[in-house]
Amino acid sequence: MSWSDYSPFRRRETITPVSSDITVYGTTWCGMTQMVRRYLDRLGISYTYRDIEEDDGAEKQLRWITGGYTNHPTIVIDGHALIEPELEELENALSENGYL
């Protein structure tokens, strides 16, 4: 085996993560939040959902991520935040991070 066999790019091509590091921040009444959650569910991608109205810690964390705002949905994928993404943007981020 060569060092290229251990490249992070090769890993993304060949290994689908069993557990994910995806967090969805939103509210139960937000249509976009629920659409993102249904999309991830249909793909079978696990994620953590944090309701910013029910969880003070989630709201504080979201404000830290967004620079003081409570934009939702905000999706954090492996440390990278997507604020109010379109599904195409979310799909691209999932693909780039090896979830698709």
Side-chain angles (χ1 to χ4, degrees):
M1 285 191 148
S2 70
W3 284 106
S4 64
D5 292 330
Y6 297 101
S7 164
F9 298 108
R10 180 173 172 79
R11 181 176 185 273
R12 287 184 183 155
E13 292 172 7
T14 60
I15 298 173
T16 301
V18 174
S19 63
S20 66
D21 189 16
I22 299 174
T23 303
V24 176
Y25 294 87
T27 62
T28 57
W29 55 265
C30 174
M32 286 299 293
T33 298
Q34 299 314 313
M35 184 172 66
V36 163
R37 293 182 70 200
R38 284 191 303 273
Y39 178 73
L40 293 171
D41 289 342
R42 279 195 308 271
L43 292 173
I45 297 174
S46 64
Y47 61 93
T48 301
Y49 171 63
R50 303 215 36 211
D51 188 324
I52 63 171
E53 292 185 328
E54 300 293 324
D55 178 351
D56 269 348
E59 182 181 349
K60 289 175 185 173
Q61 184 68 33
L62 179 60
R63 286 183 185 277
W64 184 85
I65 291 167
T66 62
Y69 300 98
T70 57
N71 300 67
H72 54 85
T74 293
I75 300 95
V76 178
I77 301 173
D78 295 335
H80 301 281
L82 300 171
I83 300 170
E84 298 178 349
E86 298 291 328
L87 285 182
E88 183 177 333
E89 183 182 359
L90 175 58
E91 181 179 6
N92 288 339
L94 291 169
S95 181
E96 288 172 5
N97 286 282
Y99 293 97
L100 294 178

